[in-house]
């Protein structure tokens, strides 16, 4: 999108969008799209006066004070109102909306009012709902999304994913842990919260389009200061790729940290998740057979993921050091996680992985977040 230029008025994040139109059909469409995005807009016939509104405009938006052109976080200008908006101060977040696909002068009017984009309905409805929803949610910096996948069976990927989420939450990061492996036994079980109230993956199977980020977070079980999206104890093991894409995108929009426990088989649903991740950690047990298996897993992951790194778990008895393992797999080394004696017993007693800050697993996770999030946001050792 083109910027508004020097001296433009920056629109604040969050709040109610402003609609300017006298076209009743277009207004009905825009109100419907605002409702779909969970927004209650202000409606005006022309540029509202700063700090107030005319009697007609107050009747239209149902408020006593209206909203100023400068203060609205998003302005939707109907094509019918473009001439009435000319001369208003330039600012970001202005969109020209109409229905006539064959109007050759539409771009000229958009330039005259400083619009960032021209949106034609009905083709741009989905895009417009996303724009409006970003305003409602106060869209900011997306979450750092990290996936964890096992290079071989029993590699300990779920344990590492859980520990990463626990350590991030302990450091004060807004954290969502997503169980992307329907055959993994359930991340809520690993956290000791299989009976916790909240939604699971089957509840989102019918999701299409945009999922509200705030509603998603609030609907999930909260365990150990983080939110977790896991599987229930039912028979469903498939969530449509579109639902996977929508839910992970919603989790990212809340900011903070998103950790995803990935299945080893990269099917269409897993590919939707991988495409949204900033980084994938592939956990490889320190033995030659596992390294060979990890090569096949890495080939599938690299087809979608943009950044794959190796975490070696334990030492290879065949003389391979962690750097050599990463070299064989053709991926950077993210680190080594020693086998932690007593961890399985503590997990069985209800203590989640990473809960003890002094353990080898927790130290690895803390170091990882310090590097990934930066020194200013580092976690305590």
């Amino acid at each position: 999108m083109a910027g508004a230029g020097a001296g433009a008025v920056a629109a604040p994040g969050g709040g109610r969008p402003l609609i300017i139109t006298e076209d009743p059909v277009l207004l009905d469409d825009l109100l419907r799209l605002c409702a779909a995005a969970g927004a209650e807009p202000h409606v005006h016939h022309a540029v509202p006066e700063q700090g107030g509104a005319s009697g007609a405009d107050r009747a239209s938006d149902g408020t006593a004070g209206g909203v100023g052109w400068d203060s609205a976080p998003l302005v939707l200008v109907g094509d019918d109102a473009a001439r009435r908006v000319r001369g208003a101060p330039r600012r970001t977040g202005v969109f020209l909306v109409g229905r006539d696909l064959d109007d050759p002068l539409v771009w000229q009017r958009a330039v005259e009012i400083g619009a960032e984009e021209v949106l034609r309905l009905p083709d741009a409805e989905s895009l417009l709902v996303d724009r409006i929803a970003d305003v409602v949610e106060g869209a900011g910096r997306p979450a750092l999304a990290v996936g964890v996948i096992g290079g071989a069976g029993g590699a300990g990927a779920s344990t590492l994913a859980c520990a990463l989420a626990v350590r991030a939450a302990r450091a004060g990061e807004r954290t969502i842990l997503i169980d992307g492996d329907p055959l993994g036994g359930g991340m809520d079980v690993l956290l000791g919260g299989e009976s916790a109230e909240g939604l699971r993956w089957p509840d989102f199977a019918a999701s299409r389009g945009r999922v509200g980020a705030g509603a998603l977070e609030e609907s999930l079980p909260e365990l150990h200061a983080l939110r977790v999206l896991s599987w229930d104890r039912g028979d469903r093991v498939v969530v449509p790729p579109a639902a996977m894409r929508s839910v992970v995108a919603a989790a990212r929009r809340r900011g903070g940290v998103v950790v995803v426990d990935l299945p080893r088989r990269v099917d269409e649903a897993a590919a939707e998740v991988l495409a949204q991740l900033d980084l994938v950690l592939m956990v490889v047990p320190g033995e030659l057979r596992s390294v060979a298996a990890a090569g096949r897993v890495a080939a599938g992951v690299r087809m979608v993921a943009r950044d794959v790194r190796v975490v070696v778990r334990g030492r290879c008895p065949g003389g391979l050091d962690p750097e050599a393992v990463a070299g064989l797999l053709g991926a950077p080394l993210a680190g080594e996680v020693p086998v932690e004696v007593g961890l399985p017993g503590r997990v069985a007693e209800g203590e989640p992985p990473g809960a003890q800050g002094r353990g080898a697993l927790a130290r690895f996770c803390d170091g990882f977040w310090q590097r990934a999030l930066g020194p200013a946001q580092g976690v305590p050792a």
Side-chain angles (χ1 to χ4, degrees):
M1 295 184 294
V9 178
R16 296 169 59 182
L18 169 64
I19 296 174
I20 302 177
T21 184
E22 285 186 304
D23 183 337
V25 176
L26 179 60
L27 178 58
D28 284 345
D29 285 336
L30 293 178
L31 291 176
R32 171 176 55 84
L33 297 176
C34 284
E40 183 181 356
H42 295 279
V43 179
H44 289 262
H45 297 155
V47 177
E49 297 177 5
Q50 188 67 24
S54 67
D57 290 335
R58 285 196 295 271
S60 297
D61 68 19
T63 67
V67 64
W69 168 269
D70 292 347
S71 60
L74 179 73
V75 180
L76 305 177
V77 179
D79 203 12
D80 65 291
R83 289 182 178 85
R84 298 193 298 276
V85 170
R86 283 187 300 187
R90 293 300 176 102
R91 52 153 294 167
T92 59
V94 176
F95 298 89
L96 184 64
V97 187
R99 287 186 166 278
D100 187 356
L101 300 177
D102 299 320
D103 184 353
L105 300 178
V106 62
W107 293 105
Q108 178 181 332
R109 292 195 294 276
V111 171
E112 288 174 348
I113 68 173
E116 294 186 11
E117 291 185 49
V118 174
L119 302 177
R120 288 308 191 193
L121 305 182
D123 293 348
E125 286 193 355
S126 177
L127 174 61
L128 188 49
V129 169
D130 282 349
R131 298 289 191 192
I132 299 168
D134 283 341
V135 168
V136 175
E137 296 174 357
R141 183 177 180 180
L144 175 64
V146 178
V148 186
I149 190 169
S158 295
T159 298
L160 177 58
C162 185
L164 283 168
V166 168
R167 297 307 297 168
R170 293 282 176 92
E173 293 288 336
R174 170 184 275 135
T175 305
I176 296 181
L177 174 61
I178 297 177
D179 188 351
D181 186 358
L183 303 180
M187 296 298 286
D188 55 350
V189 176
L190 195 55
L191 287 163
E194 59 269 25
S195 61
E197 293 185 1
L199 301 185
R200 265 68 174 182
W201 264 121
D203 298 306
F204 296 97
S207 298
R208 296 293 186 273
R210 186 180 178 109
V211 174
L216 171 68
E217 184 178 25
E218 292 171 4
S219 72
L220 301 179
E222 183 173 7
L223 303 168
H224 303 282
L226 61 90
R227 299 283 181 168
V228 58
L229 175 55
S230 189
W231 299 84
D232 62 10
R233 310 284 83 82
D235 296 332
R236 178 184 282 274
V237 294
V238 176
V239 169
M244 281 278 190
R245 178 174 62 251
S246 296
V247 170
V248 175
R252 292 204 67 196
R253 286 198 303 274
R254 291 296 281 173
V257 166
V258 173
V259 180
V260 185
D261 182 36
L262 295 162
R264 291 178 59 213
R265 180 174 178 269
V266 181
D267 56 13
E268 190 176 354
E272 290 287 357
V273 178
L274 283 166
Q276 298 192 57
L277 299 178
D278 298 299
L279 170 67
V280 176
L281 299 176
M282 185 169 60
V283 185
V284 183
E287 52 98 10
L288 292 176
R289 188 163 175 262
S290 294
V291 174
R296 293 188 289 272
V297 175
V301 172
R302 283 198 191 98
M303 294 178 65
V304 187
R306 52 180 174 267
D307 190 349
V308 182
R309 306 181 192 184
V310 174
V311 176
V312 177
R313 181 169 174 264
R315 286 281 180 172
C316 287
L320 291 176
D321 57 23
E323 289 79 8
V325 172
L328 289 172
L329 296 173
L333 179 66
E336 178 186 3
V337 180
V339 175
E340 190 169 322
V341 177
L343 178 61
R346 295 197 299 272
V347 171
E349 294 174 356
E351 178 185 294
Q356 289 197 5
R358 62 181 181 275
L361 182 60
R363 287 195 297 272
F364 171 85
C365 295
D366 290 347
F368 171 81
W369 290 127
Q370 286 174 344
R371 294 188 298 273
L373 296 173
Q377 302 179 62
V379 294

